[in-house]
Amino acid sequence: MAAPTQECPQPVGGKRKGKAQFLPAKRARRGDAGGPRQLEPGLQGILITCNMNERKCVEEAYSLLNEYGDDMYGPEKFVDKEQQPSGSEGEDDDVEAALKKEVGDIKASTEMRLRRFQSMESGANNVVFIRTLGIEPEKLVHHILQDMYKTKKKKTRVILRMLPISGTCKAFLEDMKKYAETFLEPWFKAPNKGTFQIVYKSRNNSHMNREEVIKELAGIVGSLNSENKVDLTNPEYTVVVEIIKAVCCLSVVKDYVLFRKYNLQEVVKSAKDSQPHPKLGNGKEAKLEPDGKLNQSEPSEGKNNQQVAPESIEVLEQRKQRSETQVESGEAKPELESQVSEGPKSNENEFS
């Protein structure tokens, strides 16, 4: 006799619970460390581009920023759990005072959970945003690039560019204009002045127009001080505009051209390495000799090179002339005559 099969009990109503109802709890658990986890208006930080490896980029960014952050601002201070204030000590008869104390305790505990550098989702591929707290990102990044420019020591492998972000706002033209009027004052409002350029980059955004944004921002800079002039070659200040989805990131940086557009891979290269080798008409690279003359190829390529030294040309022409005269007259002429007669020919070969 076959054993009876047991049926799985079904919930009341005949419907099985799905996984969708557990997703909000997982998202809430992800952000319980304090602070936002995605790029949004009202933040300061550092925008970093990388080469197809965002996890390794975050590791390098933490290492580099903590190294130079400790150098500029001292080591990061942490508060032990035993030293954290708690609202359970003592009983307050005043309800209003107790409520204020509880709110203060919540804010203090939230600030304790925030780190000096915190990685966030930027909203674009190969782009990482590191939120900063209690530091000036433009000064920190400038210090990093200045040190790497002087020492020429490479410290990263996947990080490409590192741009400080001094402020963020909504990526709509009216919001950007309103925000930029006060944001740009420390650098361009009279009596401050300087030459400037505007660098614009947009990612995952289709409703913003590049020319329109640059025109509006340039007009704001000019209205703050009429002596502010545009310089696209070597400006004193560079206004960086980075738009990702619906967030606009703004910053004003120095030495943008000197530090190779804030590229950590290029700033460690010497001037000789960064300049391309000049090419001759035959397509070969010309290399500069110590005496300032150009050489087409390496010594090992001398056999395949068509150019012959002037001394060897003279010797070959002399031998050729001797053989011809011996065949015609049957006797060899003095060596001096052949050298004199071959003088102009050797000069022609030398300068041709």
Side-chain angles (χ1 to χ4, degrees):
M1 184 175 180
T5 59
Q6 296 181 355
E7 296 181 0
C8 299
Q10 294 184 356
V12 180
K15 294 182 180 180
R16 181 176 295 177
K17 295 181 180 180
K19 287 186 176 181
Q21 61 179 337
F22 299 107
L23 292 178
K26 184 181 293 185
R27 291 174 184 170
R29 199 180 304 120
R30 185 181 180 184
D32 61 356
R37 284 288 186 174
Q38 192 171 3
L39 179 61
E40 62 183 23
L43 296 178
Q44 285 187 339
I46 301 171
L47 196 69
I48 303 173
T49 60
C50 60
N51 188 11
M52 302 299 292
N53 195 338
E54 294 186 15
R55 179 172 295 182
K56 181 65 175 177
C57 174
V58 173
E59 294 177 1
E60 289 186 352
Y62 280 153
S63 176
L64 192 66
L65 294 174
N66 284 320
E67 176 186 351
Y68 287 92
D70 294 346
D71 184 30
M72 291 186 65
Y73 302 97
E76 189 174 5
K77 297 180 180 179
F78 300 96
V79 180
D80 297 335
K81 294 182 178 181
E82 298 178 357
Q83 298 178 357
Q84 293 183 5
S86 60
S88 60
E89 296 179 0
E91 295 181 358
D92 296 328
D93 297 333
D94 191 356
V95 178
E96 184 177 357
L99 183 60
K100 289 182 179 180
K101 183 178 180 180
E102 185 176 358
V103 172
D105 293 344
I106 294 174
K107 290 183 178 180
S109 60
T110 302
E111 292 178 357
M112 290 174 188
R113 290 197 299 267
L114 296 179
R115 300 291 302 272
R116 178 184 287 175
F117 305 107
Q118 180 63 53
S119 173
M120 292 186 172
E121 296 180 2
S122 64
N125 293 332
N126 301 326
V127 180
V128 175
F129 184 80
I130 305 293
R131 185 210 62 204
T132 59
L133 184 66
I135 66 171
E136 299 179 68
E138 63 275 2
K139 291 185 178 180
L140 177 61
V141 175
H142 189 275
H143 177 62
I144 294 173
L145 288 163
Q146 189 175 30
D147 182 68
M148 295 180 67
Y149 179 78
K150 290 180 179 179
T151 60
K152 300 298 181 184
K153 184 178 180 181
K154 188 175 180 179
K155 296 189 176 182
T156 61
R157 296 185 63 184
V158 300
I159 293 179
L160 299 179
R161 299 177 67 197
M162 182 175 284
L163 296 172
I165 303 301
S166 303
T168 56
C169 64
K170 294 181 179 179
F172 297 96
L173 189 59
E174 293 300 325
D175 295 274
M176 293 173 60
K177 289 168 59 178
K178 184 178 180 181
Y179 183 79
E181 289 175 356
T182 56
F183 175 79
L184 297 174
E185 288 182 355
W187 296 275
F188 301 107
K189 187 176 181 180
N192 300 325
K193 63 179 181 179
T195 58
F196 71 97
Q197 69 172 350
I198 299 175
V199 179
Y200 177 91
K201 177 69 176 179
S202 177
R203 298 179 177 89
N204 299 338
N205 183 292
S206 59
H207 67 271
M208 298 300 300
N209 183 272
R210 178 180 181 273
E211 287 75 14
E212 189 176 2
V213 171
I214 293 177
K215 182 180 178 181
E216 292 293 340
L217 293 180
I220 293 174
V221 175
S223 64
L224 293 175
N225 191 341
S226 59
E227 297 184 6
N228 295 323
K229 303 298 181 181
V230 176
D231 184 2
L232 303 180
T233 304
N234 189 18
E236 184 179 356
Y237 300 107
T238 299
V239 181
V240 179
V241 182
E242 291 279 343
I243 295 179
I244 302 179
K245 289 187 176 180
V247 180
C248 173
C249 305
L250 290 174
S251 63
V252 180
V253 298
K254 294 182 178 181
D255 301 321
Y256 187 77
V257 178
L258 178 64
F259 293 156
R260 311 284 201 269
K261 299 180 180 180
Y262 279 44
N263 191 314
L264 272 62
Q265 304 297 325
E266 297 293 330
V267 76
V268 296
K269 296 181 180 179
S270 61
K272 184 178 179 180
D273 296 336
S274 60
Q275 293 180 356
H277 294 290
K279 290 187 177 181
L280 299 176
N282 56 6
K284 296 183 179 180
E285 291 186 353
K287 297 185 179 181
L288 191 64
E289 298 293 341
D291 56 355
K293 297 181 180 179
L294 288 176
N295 184 17
Q296 289 190 38
S297 61
E298 297 290 340
S300 60
E301 299 176 358
K303 296 181 181 179
N304 299 327
N305 194 357
Q306 297 179 358
Q307 185 176 0
V308 183
E311 295 181 358
S312 61
I313 293 176
E314 294 180 1
V315 174
L316 292 175
E317 292 293 340
Q318 290 173 8
R319 292 178 180 175
K320 181 178 179 182
Q321 185 66 21
R322 289 176 186 174
S323 61
E324 291 177 356
T325 53
Q326 288 177 1
V327 171
E328 293 177 358
S329 60
E331 32 179 55
K333 293 185 179 181
E335 184 177 357
L336 181 61
E337 294 181 3
S338 63
Q339 291 181 357
V340 173
S341 62
E342 295 300 327
K345 293 183 179 181
S346 63
N347 291 337
E348 290 179 2
N349 293 328
E350 185 174 357
F351 290 101
S352 61

